[in-house]
Amino acid sequence: SQKIEQNSEALNIQEGKTATLTCNYTNYSPAYLQWYRQDPGRGPVFLLLIRENEKEKRKERLKVTFDTTLKQSLFHITASQPADSATYLCAPQETYKYIFGTGTRLKVLA
Amino acid sequence: EPEVTQTPSHQVTQMGQEVILRCVPISNHLYFYWYRQILGQKVEFLVSFYNNEISEKSEIFDDQFSVERPDGSNFTLKIRSTKLEDSAMYFCASSDPSPSSRSKRGASDTQYFGPGTRLTVL
């Protein structure tokens, strides 16, 4: 069955460092993979989308990579700030049923 | 900036009662969605809606659930006879796909989520 795995444990990093979050998927051949941010009690907010024919996508301090051979996407936040503390969700898309991973909780320590 | 709105923010109901959750999507968007998130768990897709009909639904979206766009602005989720396990945060989302964003293998349009309705079934 299709499965999306994100680090279930929280990731704590020091302010100014680069945070790297992992999304692995199995039994999927997604054409697109999206990353969202979710704050407690709020709806997800779209951050970045990467297509299967793209290796890397950047937006300001964010970078996403997509390795369809490894079935993995990495999400990087450079020069992290306490305001980046949130849960980050990945959503590989193969159909029009949008499936989200469980998310990784990131805490950036001042 | 336009945003998706949802009402009420919190709904408390007794088991077996019907509830209607309301959403106002972004005005020029064409696709509408409902998701739910049980406390501490992942966001789960329920249904997508386009051109006044359901385009996709998940296994969760059984006969107890229905969606409707009763007028040009609202999009509603009805749960006919609520169960304790329906307690969750319900999110509405909308998207405005460009012609190139839809293919046989999914969509690349950005979904904009509302703030959610917390449903508590007692």
PDB file of all heavy atoms in Angstrom, chain B residues 4-5 20 24 26 28 33 40 46 50-51 58 60-63 74 78 85 89 93 98 103 108 115 118-119 122:
ATOM      1  N   VAL B   4      -9.639  31.804   2.317  1.00  0.00           N
ATOM      2  CA  VAL B   4     -10.758  30.899   2.538  1.00  0.00           C
ATOM      3  C   VAL B   4     -11.245  31.109   3.977  1.00  0.00           C
ATOM      4  O   VAL B   4     -10.434  31.190   4.901  1.00  0.00           O
ATOM      5  CB  VAL B   4     -10.302  29.432   2.357  1.00  0.00           C
ATOM      6  CG1 VAL B   4     -11.433  28.472   2.689  1.00  0.00           C
ATOM      7  CG2 VAL B   4      -9.788  29.213   0.936  1.00  0.00           C
ATOM      8  N   THR B   5     -12.556  31.223   4.139  1.00  0.00           N
ATOM      9  CA  THR B   5     -13.106  31.388   5.481  1.00  0.00           C
ATOM     10  C   THR B   5     -13.991  30.193   5.816  1.00  0.00           C
ATOM     11  O   THR B   5     -14.575  29.565   4.908  1.00  0.00           O
ATOM     12  CB  THR B   5     -13.900  32.695   5.627  1.00  0.00           C
ATOM     13  OG1 THR B   5     -14.963  32.698   4.672  1.00  0.00           O
ATOM     14  CG2 THR B   5     -13.011  33.901   5.383  1.00  0.00           C
ATOM     15  N   ILE B  20     -23.613  20.766   9.801  1.00  0.00           N
ATOM     16  CA  ILE B  20     -23.210  21.348   8.516  1.00  0.00           C
ATOM     17  C   ILE B  20     -22.076  22.314   8.790  1.00  0.00           C
ATOM     18  O   ILE B  20     -22.209  23.252   9.581  1.00  0.00           O
ATOM     19  CB  ILE B  20     -24.376  22.078   7.838  1.00  0.00           C
ATOM     20  CG1 ILE B  20     -25.495  21.090   7.510  1.00  0.00           C
ATOM     21  CG2 ILE B  20     -23.886  22.765   6.561  1.00  0.00           C
ATOM     22  CD1 ILE B  20     -26.738  21.728   6.912  1.00  0.00           C
ATOM     23  N   VAL B  24     -16.370  29.416   2.738  1.00  0.00           N
ATOM     24  CA  VAL B  24     -16.437  30.324   1.599  1.00  0.00           C
ATOM     25  C   VAL B  24     -15.071  30.287   0.929  1.00  0.00           C
ATOM     26  O   VAL B  24     -14.089  30.820   1.454  1.00  0.00           O
ATOM     27  CB  VAL B  24     -16.794  31.761   2.018  1.00  0.00           C
ATOM     28  CG1 VAL B  24     -16.829  32.676   0.792  1.00  0.00           C
ATOM     29  CG2 VAL B  24     -18.139  31.789   2.730  1.00  0.00           C
ATOM     30  N   ILE B  26     -12.092  30.966  -1.994  1.00  0.00           N
ATOM     31  CA  ILE B  26     -11.644  32.177  -2.683  1.00  0.00           C
ATOM     32  C   ILE B  26     -12.463  32.333  -3.957  1.00  0.00           C
ATOM     33  O   ILE B  26     -12.696  31.350  -4.687  1.00  0.00           O
ATOM     34  CB  ILE B  26     -10.128  32.099  -2.961  1.00  0.00           C
ATOM     35  CG1 ILE B  26      -9.389  32.116  -1.623  1.00  0.00           C
ATOM     36  CG2 ILE B  26      -9.668  33.236  -3.862  1.00  0.00           C
ATOM     37  CD1 ILE B  26      -7.903  31.889  -1.708  1.00  0.00           C
ATOM     38  N   ASN B  28     -12.579  33.332  -7.133  1.00  0.00           N
ATOM     39  CA  ASN B  28     -12.389  32.891  -8.519  1.00  0.00           C
ATOM     40  C   ASN B  28     -11.856  31.462  -8.610  1.00  0.00           C
ATOM     41  O   ASN B  28     -11.466  31.016  -9.697  1.00  0.00           O
ATOM     42  CB  ASN B  28     -11.453  33.860  -9.252  1.00  0.00           C
ATOM     43  CG  ASN B  28     -10.079  33.897  -8.614  1.00  0.00           C
ATOM     44  OD1 ASN B  28      -9.915  33.553  -7.445  1.00  0.00           O
ATOM     45  ND2 ASN B  28      -9.077  34.301  -9.374  1.00  0.00           N
ATOM     46  N   TYR B  33     -12.254  21.579  -1.690  1.00  0.00           N
ATOM     47  CA  TYR B  33     -11.853  20.350  -1.009  1.00  0.00           C
ATOM     48  C   TYR B  33     -12.281  20.402   0.451  1.00  0.00           C
ATOM     49  O   TYR B  33     -12.364  21.476   1.054  1.00  0.00           O
ATOM     50  CB  TYR B  33     -10.313  20.210  -1.025  1.00  0.00           C
ATOM     51  CG  TYR B  33      -9.667  20.449  -2.365  1.00  0.00           C
ATOM     52  CD1 TYR B  33      -9.345  21.744  -2.767  1.00  0.00           C
ATOM     53  CD2 TYR B  33      -9.370  19.399  -3.221  1.00  0.00           C
ATOM     54  CE1 TYR B  33      -8.750  21.983  -3.989  1.00  0.00           C
ATOM     55  CE2 TYR B  33      -8.761  19.627  -4.449  1.00  0.00           C
ATOM     56  CZ  TYR B  33      -8.462  20.921  -4.824  1.00  0.00           C
ATOM     57  OH  TYR B  33      -7.872  21.156  -6.043  1.00  0.00           O
ATOM     58  N   GLY B  40      -3.641  15.412  16.724  1.00  0.00           N
ATOM     59  CA  GLY B  40      -2.350  14.722  16.785  1.00  0.00           C
ATOM     60  C   GLY B  40      -2.063  13.822  15.601  1.00  0.00           C
ATOM     61  O   GLY B  40      -1.019  13.176  15.557  1.00  0.00           O
ATOM     62  N   LEU B  46     -10.717  14.188   2.270  1.00  0.00           N
ATOM     63  CA  LEU B  46     -12.073  13.644   2.264  1.00  0.00           C
ATOM     64  C   LEU B  46     -12.650  13.652   0.848  1.00  0.00           C
ATOM     65  O   LEU B  46     -13.069  12.618   0.326  1.00  0.00           O
ATOM     66  CB  LEU B  46     -12.996  14.469   3.176  1.00  0.00           C
ATOM     67  CG  LEU B  46     -12.719  14.417   4.670  1.00  0.00           C
ATOM     68  CD1 LEU B  46     -13.680  15.328   5.422  1.00  0.00           C
ATOM     69  CD2 LEU B  46     -12.819  13.005   5.200  1.00  0.00           C
ATOM     70  N   TYR B  50     -15.767  19.792  -8.130  1.00  0.00           N
ATOM     71  CA  TYR B  50     -15.519  20.661  -9.271  1.00  0.00           C
ATOM     72  C   TYR B  50     -16.736  20.660 -10.160  1.00  0.00           C
ATOM     73  O   TYR B  50     -17.351  19.607 -10.396  1.00  0.00           O
ATOM     74  CB  TYR B  50     -14.290  20.167 -10.045  1.00  0.00           C
ATOM     75  CG  TYR B  50     -14.065  20.854 -11.366  1.00  0.00           C
ATOM     76  CD1 TYR B  50     -13.643  22.175 -11.415  1.00  0.00           C
ATOM     77  CD2 TYR B  50     -14.281  20.176 -12.577  1.00  0.00           C
ATOM     78  CE1 TYR B  50     -13.451  22.822 -12.623  1.00  0.00           C
ATOM     79  CE2 TYR B  50     -14.087  20.823 -13.790  1.00  0.00           C
ATOM     80  CZ  TYR B  50     -13.660  22.141 -13.804  1.00  0.00           C
ATOM     81  OH  TYR B  50     -13.454  22.778 -15.004  1.00  0.00           O
ATOM     82  N   ASN B  51     -17.104  21.806 -10.653  1.00  0.00           N
ATOM     83  CA  ASN B  51     -18.206  21.904 -11.607  1.00  0.00           C
ATOM     84  C   ASN B  51     -19.487  21.281 -11.033  1.00  0.00           C
ATOM     85  O   ASN B  51     -20.194  20.552 -11.733  1.00  0.00           O
ATOM     86  CB  ASN B  51     -17.802  21.214 -12.918  1.00  0.00           C
ATOM     87  CG  ASN B  51     -18.581  21.715 -14.099  1.00  0.00           C
ATOM     88  OD1 ASN B  51     -19.113  22.821 -14.089  1.00  0.00           O
ATOM     89  ND2 ASN B  51     -18.672  20.891 -15.122  1.00  0.00           N
ATOM     90  N   SER B  58     -12.328  10.030  -0.744  1.00  0.00           N
ATOM     91  CA  SER B  58     -11.545   8.995  -0.081  1.00  0.00           C
ATOM     92  C   SER B  58     -12.482   7.964   0.539  1.00  0.00           C
ATOM     93  O   SER B  58     -13.708   8.130   0.550  1.00  0.00           O
ATOM     94  CB  SER B  58     -10.661   9.625   0.996  1.00  0.00           C
ATOM     95  OG  SER B  58     -11.461  10.055   2.090  1.00  0.00           O
ATOM     96  N   ILE B  60     -12.840   7.471   3.545  1.00  0.00           N
ATOM     97  CA  ILE B  60     -13.472   8.046   4.736  1.00  0.00           C
ATOM     98  C   ILE B  60     -14.830   8.643   4.378  1.00  0.00           C
ATOM     99  O   ILE B  60     -15.779   8.622   5.164  1.00  0.00           O
ATOM    100  CB  ILE B  60     -12.583   9.168   5.333  1.00  0.00           C
ATOM    101  CG1 ILE B  60     -11.199   8.617   5.675  1.00  0.00           C
ATOM    102  CG2 ILE B  60     -13.236   9.783   6.557  1.00  0.00           C
ATOM    103  CD1 ILE B  60     -10.193   9.712   5.979  1.00  0.00           C
ATOM    104  N   PHE B  61     -14.925   9.168   3.201  1.00  0.00           N
ATOM    105  CA  PHE B  61     -16.120   9.912   2.758  1.00  0.00           C
ATOM    106  C   PHE B  61     -17.203   8.915   2.382  1.00  0.00           C
ATOM    107  O   PHE B  61     -17.398   8.585   1.205  1.00  0.00           O
ATOM    108  CB  PHE B  61     -15.760  10.816   1.583  1.00  0.00           C
ATOM    109  CG  PHE B  61     -16.809  11.838   1.264  1.00  0.00           C
ATOM    110  CD1 PHE B  61     -16.804  13.070   1.887  1.00  0.00           C
ATOM    111  CD2 PHE B  61     -17.798  11.579   0.312  1.00  0.00           C
ATOM    112  CE1 PHE B  61     -17.768  14.033   1.585  1.00  0.00           C
ATOM    113  CE2 PHE B  61     -18.759  12.519   0.006  1.00  0.00           C
ATOM    114  CZ  PHE B  61     -18.741  13.750   0.636  1.00  0.00           C
ATOM    115  N   ASP B  62     -17.910   8.404   3.415  1.00  0.00           N
ATOM    116  CA  ASP B  62     -18.953   7.411   3.145  1.00  0.00           C
ATOM    117  C   ASP B  62     -20.320   8.094   3.062  1.00  0.00           C
ATOM    118  O   ASP B  62     -20.410   9.325   2.974  1.00  0.00           O
ATOM    119  CB  ASP B  62     -18.908   6.327   4.225  1.00  0.00           C
ATOM    120  CG  ASP B  62     -19.144   6.873   5.627  1.00  0.00           C
ATOM    121  OD1 ASP B  62     -19.725   7.969   5.759  1.00  0.00           O
ATOM    122  OD2 ASP B  62     -18.731   6.209   6.590  1.00  0.00           O
ATOM    123  N   ASP B  63     -21.365   7.301   3.137  1.00  0.00           N
ATOM    124  CA  ASP B  63     -22.723   7.835   2.941  1.00  0.00           C
ATOM    125  C   ASP B  63     -23.150   8.812   4.028  1.00  0.00           C
ATOM    126  O   ASP B  63     -24.169   9.488   3.888  1.00  0.00           O
ATOM    127  CB  ASP B  63     -23.733   6.684   2.884  1.00  0.00           C
ATOM    128  CG  ASP B  63     -23.542   5.829   1.648  1.00  0.00           C
ATOM    129  OD1 ASP B  63     -22.883   6.323   0.703  1.00  0.00           O
ATOM    130  OD2 ASP B  63     -24.029   4.689   1.621  1.00  0.00           O
ATOM    131  N   ASN B  74     -20.827  29.692  -1.154  1.00  0.00           N
ATOM    132  CA  ASN B  74     -20.611  28.761  -0.060  1.00  0.00           C
ATOM    133  C   ASN B  74     -20.341  27.342  -0.555  1.00  0.00           C
ATOM    134  O   ASN B  74     -20.806  26.926  -1.615  1.00  0.00           O
ATOM    135  CB  ASN B  74     -21.851  28.728   0.846  1.00  0.00           C
ATOM    136  CG  ASN B  74     -21.998  30.001   1.626  1.00  0.00           C
ATOM    137  OD1 ASN B  74     -21.275  30.230   2.581  1.00  0.00           O
ATOM    138  ND2 ASN B  74     -22.925  30.850   1.208  1.00  0.00           N
ATOM    139  N   LYS B  78     -21.757  18.236   5.040  1.00  0.00           N
ATOM    140  CA  LYS B  78     -22.784  17.778   5.967  1.00  0.00           C
ATOM    141  C   LYS B  78     -22.407  16.392   6.465  1.00  0.00           C
ATOM    142  O   LYS B  78     -22.018  15.517   5.671  1.00  0.00           O
ATOM    143  CB  LYS B  78     -24.149  17.716   5.280  1.00  0.00           C
ATOM    144  CG  LYS B  78     -25.279  17.317   6.232  1.00  0.00           C
ATOM    145  CD  LYS B  78     -26.554  16.951   5.503  1.00  0.00           C
ATOM    146  CE  LYS B  78     -27.237  18.118   4.896  1.00  0.00           C
ATOM    147  NZ  LYS B  78     -28.563  17.755   4.308  1.00  0.00           N
ATOM    148  N   GLU B  85     -16.137   9.394  16.737  1.00  0.00           N
ATOM    149  CA  GLU B  85     -14.894   9.406  15.967  1.00  0.00           C
ATOM    150  C   GLU B  85     -14.873  10.469  14.872  1.00  0.00           C
ATOM    151  O   GLU B  85     -13.864  10.640  14.187  1.00  0.00           O
ATOM    152  CB  GLU B  85     -14.594   8.019  15.374  1.00  0.00           C
ATOM    153  CG  GLU B  85     -15.707   7.426  14.560  1.00  0.00           C
ATOM    154  CD  GLU B  85     -16.596   6.481  15.359  1.00  0.00           C
ATOM    155  OE1 GLU B  85     -16.862   6.744  16.558  1.00  0.00           O
ATOM    156  OE2 GLU B  85     -17.049   5.484  14.770  1.00  0.00           O
ATOM    157  N   MET B  89     -10.629  18.346  13.467  1.00  0.00           N
ATOM    158  CA  MET B  89     -10.594  19.653  12.810  1.00  0.00           C
ATOM    159  C   MET B  89     -10.908  19.402  11.339  1.00  0.00           C
ATOM    160  O   MET B  89     -10.332  18.501  10.727  1.00  0.00           O
ATOM    161  CB  MET B  89      -9.194  20.234  12.960  1.00  0.00           C
ATOM    162  CG  MET B  89      -9.100  21.677  12.611  1.00  0.00           C
ATOM    163  SD  MET B  89      -9.766  22.702  13.941  1.00  0.00           S
ATOM    164  CE  MET B  89      -8.693  24.112  13.783  1.00  0.00           C
ATOM    165  N   ALA B  93     -10.523  23.782   1.567  1.00  0.00           N
ATOM    166  CA  ALA B  93      -9.472  24.372   0.746  1.00  0.00           C
ATOM    167  C   ALA B  93     -10.043  24.654  -0.639  1.00  0.00           C
ATOM    168  O   ALA B  93     -11.046  24.055  -1.048  1.00  0.00           O
ATOM    169  CB  ALA B  93      -8.264  23.446   0.642  1.00  0.00           C
ATOM    170  N   SER B  98      -4.483  26.318 -13.343  1.00  0.00           N
ATOM    171  CA  SER B  98      -4.237  26.848 -14.678  1.00  0.00           C
ATOM    172  C   SER B  98      -4.398  25.691 -15.658  1.00  0.00           C
ATOM    173  O   SER B  98      -4.389  24.531 -15.251  1.00  0.00           O
ATOM    174  CB  SER B  98      -2.830  27.426 -14.761  1.00  0.00           C
ATOM    175  OG  SER B  98      -1.884  26.393 -14.590  1.00  0.00           O
ATOM    176  N   SER B 103      -3.061  17.104 -14.997  1.00  0.00           N
ATOM    177  CA  SER B 103      -2.661  16.040 -15.916  1.00  0.00           C
ATOM    178  C   SER B 103      -3.299  14.748 -15.432  1.00  0.00           C
ATOM    179  O   SER B 103      -4.025  14.736 -14.446  1.00  0.00           O
ATOM    180  CB  SER B 103      -1.140  15.914 -15.935  1.00  0.00           C
ATOM    181  OG  SER B 103      -0.699  15.342 -14.707  1.00  0.00           O
ATOM    182  N   SER B 108      -0.973  20.299 -10.065  1.00  0.00           N
ATOM    183  CA  SER B 108       0.072  21.122  -9.471  1.00  0.00           C
ATOM    184  C   SER B 108      -0.459  22.450  -8.979  1.00  0.00           C
ATOM    185  O   SER B 108       0.307  23.324  -8.618  1.00  0.00           O
ATOM    186  CB  SER B 108       1.193  21.353 -10.485  1.00  0.00           C
ATOM    187  OG  SER B 108       0.692  22.062 -11.607  1.00  0.00           O
ATOM    188  N   PRO B 115      -9.117  28.297   7.985  1.00  0.00           N
ATOM    189  CA  PRO B 115      -8.611  28.155   9.351  1.00  0.00           C
ATOM    190  C   PRO B 115      -9.149  26.924  10.066  1.00  0.00           C
ATOM    191  O   PRO B 115      -8.643  26.562  11.123  1.00  0.00           O
ATOM    192  CB  PRO B 115      -9.103  29.432  10.034  1.00  0.00           C
ATOM    193  CG  PRO B 115     -10.326  29.809   9.277  1.00  0.00           C
ATOM    194  CD  PRO B 115     -10.098  29.378   7.862  1.00  0.00           C
ATOM    195  N   ARG B 118     -13.363  23.230  14.332  1.00  0.00           N
ATOM    196  CA  ARG B 118     -13.147  22.135  15.280  1.00  0.00           C
ATOM    197  C   ARG B 118     -14.495  21.538  15.633  1.00  0.00           C
ATOM    198  O   ARG B 118     -15.358  22.223  16.193  1.00  0.00           O
ATOM    199  CB  ARG B 118     -12.443  22.621  16.541  1.00  0.00           C
ATOM    200  CG  ARG B 118     -12.186  21.515  17.542  1.00  0.00           C
ATOM    201  CD  ARG B 118     -11.269  21.931  18.671  1.00  0.00           C
ATOM    202  NE  ARG B 118      -9.952  22.360  18.213  1.00  0.00           N
ATOM    203  CZ  ARG B 118      -9.009  21.533  17.775  1.00  0.00           C
ATOM    204  NH1 ARG B 118      -9.201  20.233  17.758  1.00  0.00           N
ATOM    205  NH2 ARG B 118      -7.842  22.018  17.392  1.00  0.00           N
ATOM    206  N   LEU B 119     -14.701  20.284  15.283  1.00  0.00           N
ATOM    207  CA  LEU B 119     -15.953  19.591  15.580  1.00  0.00           C
ATOM    208  C   LEU B 119     -15.732  18.671  16.773  1.00  0.00           C
ATOM    209  O   LEU B 119     -14.815  17.839  16.752  1.00  0.00           O
ATOM    210  CB  LEU B 119     -16.422  18.766  14.375  1.00  0.00           C
ATOM    211  CG  LEU B 119     -17.672  17.916  14.602  1.00  0.00           C
ATOM    212  CD1 LEU B 119     -18.887  18.813  14.863  1.00  0.00           C
ATOM    213  CD2 LEU B 119     -17.931  17.005  13.415  1.00  0.00           C
ATOM    214  N   LEU B 122     -20.077  14.772  21.291  1.00  0.00           N
ATOM    215  CA  LEU B 122     -20.170  14.274  22.669  1.00  0.00           C
ATOM    216  C   LEU B 122     -21.077  13.048  22.762  1.00  0.00           C
ATOM    217  O   LEU B 122     -22.004  12.919  21.964  1.00  0.00           O
ATOM    218  CB  LEU B 122     -20.712  15.377  23.581  1.00  0.00           C
ATOM    219  CG  LEU B 122     -19.887  16.675  23.605  1.00  0.00           C
ATOM    220  CD1 LEU B 122     -20.589  17.729  24.433  1.00  0.00           C
ATOM    221  CD2 LEU B 122     -18.483  16.399  24.152  1.00  0.00           C
TER     222      LEU B 122
END
